[in-house]
Amino acid sequence: MSGSKARMAAINAINNQKLEVAPLDFSEVSVDEIFGQNVFNNKVMKDKLPKPVFKSLMKTIEEKTSLDPDVADVVAAAMKDWAISKGATHYTHVFYPLTGSTAEKHDSFVSPDGKGGAIVEFSGKTLIQGEPDASSFPNGGLRETFEARGYTLWDVTSPAYIMENTNGTTLCIPTMFISWTGEALDKKTPVLRSMQALNAQSQRILKLFGEESGAFVSASAGPEQEYFLVDRNFYYARPDLLNAERTLFGAKPPKGQEFDDHYFGAIPSRVLAYMLEVERELFKLGIPVKTRHNEVAPGQFEIAPVYESANIATDHQQLVMVTLKAVAKKHGMECLLHEKPFAGINGSGKHLNWSLGNGVVGNLLDPGDTPHANTRFLVFCAAVIRAVHLHGGLLRAAAASASNDHRLGANEAPPAILSVYLGDQLNDVFEQIKAGGAKSSKKASTIKLGVDTLPAIPKDAGDRNRTSPFAFTGNRFEFRAVGSTHSIGGALTTLNTIVAESLDYIATKLEKMVGNSPAKLNDAVTKVLSEVVKEHEAIIFNGDNYSEAWHQEAAKRGLPNLKTTVDAVPEITKKQTVAMFKKYKVLSPEELESRQHTYLEQYCLTISVEGKLTSRIGRTQIFPAAIRYQSELAKTCADLKAVGYKFDTDTLDTVTTYVKELQDSLSALDKAMAGKKGSTPLAEAKYFRDKVIPAMLAVREVADKLEGVVADDLWPLPTYQEMLFIK
Ligand code: ADP
Ligand code: MG
């Protein structure tokens, strides 16, 4: 479809849209009935499983004890019956490869019985272990293709669920994905390992504070997902969106986001219908989505669930992405999860809210009203500060990808330099600690409104700082560098592990100082925390992270500024990183090596596809449009001249110059793409960054200039204006 036809079709679709789903009505369907209706959750298990089996399974889930194999058979049988009663014909082990996507392989419940008939079958063994043909998933050298064996292993702690689809319903079992030598090939396995490490070190601190219940201290995560919606007619008319999820061409529209009139504006009705269906589907899967709103850029939106245990939140986040995409198609739209679908307009991220705690001790990052007196909180908070200072580069690497480079390196939130925002109140408390002990906390005031009908409105103790990549936001830290396409698994694994390491460091010191006299704890904490603050205060920054002054200041403080994925990824195999991951048994040196390899490979693949697309679109769509217009202008000039008029050739001259530039830049790009790329993944990635990306940008620059002069009806691609504003 040409640009203008796509435009007409899109306008038609938008004007004739029908609301296909009735909105959820809680007066008709109770929340209880719909929430989690497709999940094999505790309630269902309690109902369907014999009591001892249920108890044993709960022990595994809550206390992370190893699973009794006899239990698996019983669970499998109950799971199968439940799934079939819900219409499932197949089951799948769902896993999360290093690409950040969700993978599944479906098997039927039906097996031949050997006598010409068939039986329905699902054993404990099939529940626990699967063997997908895994040779085409990235492994970064951990497996040779001839030994492609990989296993999926049931993650007992994340509930199985039913995926409904008009073409068949499937029982989905969340699993880990490992090589046959036991190395992790996925995003989930290290999350689980890192949660264990974080728990183990947290227990030592809690013990010092006299808390010995042993209840598992879990990391919690609440990811906010940003995304764009575009009409599918536009999407299909843009090979770049279709293949790379971002526009490789497109001039800035006359009206962009400068009015800020979209943010928190009224949600367009077509989008609202879409959001409602997304929420309904997610509710069925037991995913507690809570907020929805427009985002800063036109056509950009956000969805956020209530936070959950890190592992479950990670699985749920993947389901959120899958659901956002699937439901958009039904509504004639495409959901773009890419970090930067449109140049010059805000990109999308995934703010990852993170805390730790459990039912017994509560949220360990909750400062309460008097943080200066809440020593336990201060210990956990200081551990985070130390961790981010020591491993800022690694955290940056955990948010690295070719697509996210458009956000992190650019002049857009958040910068590639990691720093921690504490806010007024906490900053003051830590300043006091540094000077020898905290005696007071700044009080939160009330807001004076001048309107008499309202009671005094309490003010938060700290303001928000939207520019910080790692901000304390009341009772959690918010890591804002994660990309909108990313699995949150990588960031969580990193956060959990680096904080575990710092808790270990602090616990070791405190244990030595306190010995058998708990009365010494307060003084010991003051002393250790004072040291920690002195050593690591360079990471604390409460100002504007976008300012040039900060970039200079950060350099003076020795904070790394890893602008691109190519700069960041090598952090994964730095000596201190390898030693840490090994010590806490989260990732082995081989696993880290393979991850680094895979991420660099992904980077090269992404840019290689973008390079090819740029060349193809440039040559087969933009160049022809430009010369058609050029010839039209030339013909007009000649015709006018023939009848004796003088015709100004300015436009023709401009188009002719641009056409030449376009041809030259396309040749340069093709040459860069064909060049020798280096023999290691890192060298190859550097080549793509330094040679191919600039060549792509040069093509784009002149193509965008042409868009500004070529006749609109000849222009082959839907424009920014259309894609962003027609809803
Ligand atoms: P905002 O955009 O103002 O940051 P949102 O409501 O969009 O806030 O998102 C905040 C996210 O943080 C939600 O997913 C929420 O559940 C999560 N969250 C709140 N408290 C915690 C906590 N203690 N630990 C982890 N996540 C939390
Ligand atoms: Mg937020």
Side-chain angles (χ1 to χ4, degrees), residues 224 351 353 464 466 478 480:
E224 305 161 42
H351 293 179
N353 294 270
R464 285 167 174 254
R466 287 271 166 208
E478 184 170 338
R480 302 192 177 124

Side-chain angles (χ1 to χ4, degrees), residues 265-517:
I267 298 171
S269 69
R270 184 188 194 193
V271 175
L272 192 58
Y274 161 75
M275 287 175 165
L276 284 168
E277 189 167 351
V278 167
E279 284 162 12
R280 178 197 292 262
E281 291 308 312
L282 293 176
F283 278 161
K284 285 192 207 163
L285 295 168
I287 300 173
V289 281
K290 183 87 180 158
T291 60
R292 58 175 182 219
H293 59 79
N294 291 357
E295 260 302 325
V296 177
Q300 192 188 28
F301 306 91
E302 178 183 300
I303 183 169
V306 175
Y307 66 98
E308 300 177 277
S309 161
N311 174 42
I312 293 178
T314 308
D315 290 359
H316 279 174
Q317 220 292 305
Q318 297 292 122
L319 275 171
V320 167
M321 292 198 281
V322 169
T323 307
L324 282 171
K325 285 224 155 244
V327 175
K329 291 191 175 68
K330 285 210 238 166
H331 290 249
M333 297 186 287
E334 185 65 28
C335 170
L336 305 173
L337 296 175
H338 194 283
E339 285 79 0
K340 197 78 176 175
F342 304 100
I345 300 229
N346 261 33
S348 300
K350 185 140 41 197
H351 293 179
L352 179 60
N353 294 270
W354 179 91
S355 65
L356 71 174
N358 63 35
V360 180
V361 296
N363 174 3
L364 293 165
L365 288 179
D366 187 351
D369 291 334
T370 48
H372 71 279
N374 189 348
T375 33
R376 193 182 72 186
F377 159 76
L378 292 172
V379 167
F380 281 94
C381 193
V384 177
I385 294 168
R386 178 180 183 273
V388 178
H389 189 220
L390 289 179
H391 300 285
L394 183 63
L395 265 182
R396 163 67 182 93
S401 68
S403 53
N404 206 22
D405 279 357
H406 299 287
R407 285 173 70 231
L408 299 186
N411 260 343
E412 184 179 316
I417 307 163
L418 260 287
S419 68
V420 176
Y421 169 81
L422 288 178
D424 245 11
Q425 190 189 43
L426 275 192
N427 199 54
D428 175 61
V429 170
F430 278 106
E431 281 296 327
Q432 293 181 52
I433 290 174
K434 193 174 82 176
K439 302 269 179 302
S440 64
S441 301
K442 283 189 177 175
K443 281 275 157 298
S445 55
T446 52
I447 299 175
K448 293 199 182 62
L449 205 57
V451 174
D452 297 334
T453 50
L454 286 176
I457 311 284
K459 206 163 147 180
D460 284 313
D463 193 7
R464 285 167 174 254
N465 182 328
R466 287 271 166 208
T467 68
S468 173
F470 201 95
F472 185 75
T473 46
N475 60 359
R476 61 193 186 264
F477 281 95
E478 184 170 338
F479 181 35
R480 302 192 177 124
V482 184
S484 48
T485 54
H486 294 173
S487 155
I488 56 171
L492 284 173
T493 299
T494 307
L495 258 174
N496 293 342
T497 312
I498 64 178
V499 174
E501 185 201 42
S502 277
L503 289 171
D504 179 2
Y505 172 86
I506 295 175
T508 305
K509 291 214 151 192
L510 291 178
E511 281 161 0
K512 261 200 208 113
M513 289 160 82
V514 173
N516 287 325
S517 13

Side-chain angles (χ1 to χ4, degrees), residues 252-262 296-298 344-345 721 724-725:
K252 238 182 127 146
K255 181 186 174 206
Q257 64 185 49
E258 50 279 76
F259 288 100
D260 271 341
D261 48 0
H262 180 68
V296 177
I345 300 229
Q721 181 82 347
L724 290 167
F725 289 96

